[in-house]
Amino acid sequence: MKFNSGILSKHLKALESETRQPSRYVVALSGGLDSVVLLHALKSHLIQYKSKIPLIAIHINHCLQPESQSWVEECEAITKKLDIAFKSINVDVDLDSGKGLEASARSARYSALLREIQHKDWLITAHHQEDQAETLLINLFRGSGLPGISGISKIRKFGLGWIVRPILNIPKDSLVRYAKENFLDWIEDPSNINLDFDRNFLRHEVVTRIKTRWPKVSDCLHRSAEHAGEASQLLFELAEIDLKKICSDSSKIPINKLLTLSPARQRNLIRFALQKQKLNMPSTKQLRLIFSDIIFAREDAQPFIRWNGVIIRRYRNNLYLMPDKEISELYPLPISGNELSLGPGMGRLNFEIIENTGLSKELFDKGLTIRRRTGGEKIILYNQSHKRELKKLLQEKGIVPWMRNQLPLVYSGENLVAVGDLWISRDAVSEPGIKVRWIDRPELH
């Protein structure tokens, strides 16, 4: 297959049918052959069609190689020759992340690029047919399901814009021919031949040998990835239908309704619900544990399972799929002014004077304190005559157990006068009074 700016133009036009024209083209420029070819062809496309869409190249300097700074200078020279705006960004790669060097560098790179993407921008990367084939094989070796076998997507949402791969079906040798025909200069990264990296080993030791018997293997694997992508999309749409029938909240799934589906659709729905909340996917083992240890646990149990920023809990008939946020414990916090932050993940309390009955203004002016629940608290609710145990009130209200000790309890001296914005004590009201509002309150039910 021959590659030129005309073929790139057709691919860009096809991608525009899935979204609108970009505000800017933002090319991820490593300086390697693939990204230099893409940048050159894109510039030719803009000239040919007299396009006014701005073009900028961004180079991410991982600062991992002795030559890193010279690569920045070479990339800048390439863009200057093509009259293209250029920006270089240094990133710190977390070498202790436990994810490996390749994954850690990728994470740092895309985090930096994400911050640069403005409304409706297209971040364009130079992934090609061989990249797609390698990704599919790596994911197969890891035991991935259909989403993994789908490989690299042509286009997907990325922050305020989109990430777009317009040369995903172009063979590497076509890019090499283009570079030579147009006398392009590019950078040779020595790490690309380091066989300690999985992708390099696959590229140089495995795929190269396979091609001696099946020369079209990359093209075939690319087609397989497209088939898997279509099948994955159908599963996505089926899960969307199932979720709408069962509930409206993807973070809180009724277990009795979930179990009316076939086991395969149950698992599919849970993956979809996690994806909808942009939470990390579970492994096959973790997905099994959601059923064996969470859904089918004893009714009086309070089971949970955690992985990589995700926590799954069950309470009564509901399965809760949530980000595993660290919620700060509430120690005595004096209330001063009309608003008080309760710490990360807990929102804030707002105190507003109202004409109607509310928290006693006299007590508020004397000074109130926020404490955390320790057990044994009692309160006489407004419009009631006898003391109630806070524990019983929380159970009756259906407050999930993991949030009960995080509730902000409002005290006047040693007297409990309010529980967040849920209840006020009968002995702590006045008219006019103070309305307690819990802003950005975490999910309690």
Side-chain angles (χ1 to χ4, degrees):
M1 177 189 290
K2 186 175 177 62
F3 176 71
N4 53 43
S5 61
I7 290 173
L8 178 63
S9 299
K10 289 179 182 177
H11 290 182
L12 293 172
K13 195 70 177 175
L15 289 165
E16 284 178 11
S17 67
E18 299 186 40
T19 180
R20 296 180 181 178
Q21 268 198 345
S23 299
R24 295 187 304 166
Y25 290 122
V26 181
V27 174
L29 179 66
S30 68
L33 183 144
D34 309 333
S35 62
V36 171
V37 165
L38 174 62
L39 187 68
H40 185 276
L42 184 55
K43 177 67 175 183
S44 299
H45 158 78
L46 294 176
I47 293 171
Q48 181 181 352
Y49 287 91
K50 298 179 180 178
S51 174
K52 301 295 184 183
I53 299 174
L55 169 61
I56 181 173
I58 297 181
H59 175 77
I60 303 299
N61 182 3
H62 300 92
C63 305
L64 295 174
Q65 302 278 1
E67 305 92 341
S68 292
Q69 188 54 43
S70 67
W71 292 345
V72 173
E73 294 166 5
E74 288 183 56
C75 286
E76 188 170 14
I78 290 167
T79 56
K80 189 174 183 180
K81 188 175 180 180
L82 294 172
D83 192 25
I84 294 170
F86 175 74
K87 182 174 184 178
S88 175
I89 302 171
N90 291 353
V91 296
D92 293 320
V93 178
D94 183 3
L95 301 177
D96 299 318
S97 68
K99 297 185 293 186
L101 181 59
E102 286 180 287
S104 298
R106 187 184 308 112
S107 177
R109 178 167 64 252
Y110 278 103
S111 293
L113 289 168
L114 182 64
R115 290 190 290 271
E116 297 299 315
I117 297 303
Q118 300 171 12
H119 185 56
K120 295 182 182 178
D121 279 353
W122 280 16
L123 171 65
I124 303 184
T125 69
H127 291 91
H128 50 74
Q129 193 176 87
E130 275 74 9
D131 291 322
Q132 179 72 295
E134 291 159 9
T135 299
L136 186 153
L137 289 172
I138 287 172
N139 288 339
L140 275 175
F141 296 158
R142 291 172 177 166
S144 297
L146 279 175
I149 300 171
S150 302
I152 306 168
S153 57
K154 285 183 182 177
I155 184 168
R156 66 175 174 83
K157 283 292 292 178
F158 187 72
L160 297 174
W162 299 82
I163 186 166
V164 176
R165 283 101 175 196
I167 60 172
L168 198 56
N169 68 332
I170 303 296
K172 172 78 173 187
D173 56 9
S174 297
L175 302 180
V176 173
R177 280 197 301 272
Y178 181 98
K180 291 178 177 178
E181 289 169 359
N182 289 277
F183 306 103
L184 302 183
D185 297 318
W186 63 87
I187 296 165
E188 294 287 358
D189 183 347
S191 69
N192 286 338
I193 58 173
N194 183 347
L195 300 185
D196 291 337
F197 298 134
D198 291 344
R199 188 173 289 272
N200 288 343
F201 177 81
L202 192 64
R203 179 180 303 154
H204 298 295
E205 296 291 319
V206 179
V207 175
T208 300
R209 188 169 181 184
I210 290 174
K211 281 186 174 182
T212 62
R213 189 170 184 103
W214 294 284
K216 300 288 187 182
V217 64
S218 293
D219 185 41
C220 294
L221 289 174
H222 177 78
R223 289 202 307 273
S224 293
E226 288 186 329
H227 296 325
E230 287 187 4
S232 183
Q233 179 62 29
L234 289 174
L235 287 178
F236 183 94
E237 291 173 8
L238 177 62
E240 197 167 30
I241 292 168
D242 286 341
L243 186 66
K244 285 179 181 177
K245 287 181 179 178
I246 286 175
C247 60
S248 58
D249 184 356
S250 61
S251 67
K252 182 180 173 183
I253 301 173
I255 291 172
N256 63 329
K257 294 182 179 180
L258 175 67
L259 295 178
T260 63
L261 302 173
S262 69
R265 287 171 73 168
Q266 293 169 23
R267 294 189 292 270
N268 188 45
L269 187 145
I270 288 174
R271 291 192 195 96
F272 172 75
L274 289 166
Q275 183 180 356
K276 192 168 184 181
Q277 296 182 75
K278 299 181 180 178
L279 297 175
N280 290 310
M281 289 294 109
S283 65
T284 301
K285 180 180 178 181
Q286 289 162 339
L287 191 56
R288 288 197 195 106
L289 289 175
I290 291 175
F291 288 88
S292 62
D293 292 10
I294 308 288
I295 291 176
F296 296 123
R298 297 189 331 268
E299 287 194 13
D300 61 342
Q302 296 179 20
F304 65 89
I305 180 174
R306 278 190 170 99
W307 71 81
N308 196 15
V310 182
I311 185 165
I312 309 293
R313 295 182 183 270
R314 194 201 76 193
Y315 178 57
R316 296 180 176 172
N317 183 48
N318 291 311
L319 186 70
Y320 293 83
L321 287 61
M322 306 175 294
D324 190 12
K325 293 180 179 177
E326 186 174 330
I327 298 178
S328 60
E329 293 189 355
L330 295 174
Y331 293 96
L333 294 171
I335 297 173
S336 59
N338 65 352
E339 197 159 281
L340 177 69
S341 173
L342 300 175
M346 288 298 295
R348 59 194 189 276
L349 290 184
N350 177 271
F351 304 93
E352 177 188 351
I353 299 175
I354 58 172
E355 295 289 329
N356 301 324
T357 301
L359 187 63
S360 167
K361 189 174 183 305
E362 182 182 352
L363 291 179
F364 184 83
D365 291 340
K366 286 181 179 178
L368 301 173
T369 304
I370 300 292
R371 301 183 193 174
R372 66 188 294 268
R373 181 170 171 250
T374 57
E377 295 86 358
K378 295 183 179 181
I379 187 172
I380 303 177
L381 300 182
Y382 176 62
N383 280 340
Q384 294 191 14
S385 59
H386 59 283
K387 278 189 177 182
R388 299 286 310 277
E389 290 184 12
L390 182 56
K391 177 181 176 180
K392 296 288 187 183
L393 289 171
L394 297 174
Q395 290 172 346
E396 292 171 9
K397 188 79 171 175
I399 305 297
V400 291
W402 54 91
M403 288 303 301
R404 292 175 188 174
N405 287 346
Q406 302 293 340
L407 295 174
L409 307 187
V410 184
Y411 276 83
S412 173
E414 294 303 312
N415 297 315
L416 177 60
V417 298
V419 181
D421 59 357
L422 302 174
W423 299 292
I424 296 178
S425 169
R426 181 196 67 182
D427 301 324
V429 297
S430 68
E431 186 178 343
I434 305 285
K435 182 177 179 62
V436 182
R437 293 171 58 233
W438 193 349
I439 300 170
D440 295 330
R441 184 174 78 181
E443 182 61 52
L444 300 180
H445 299 92

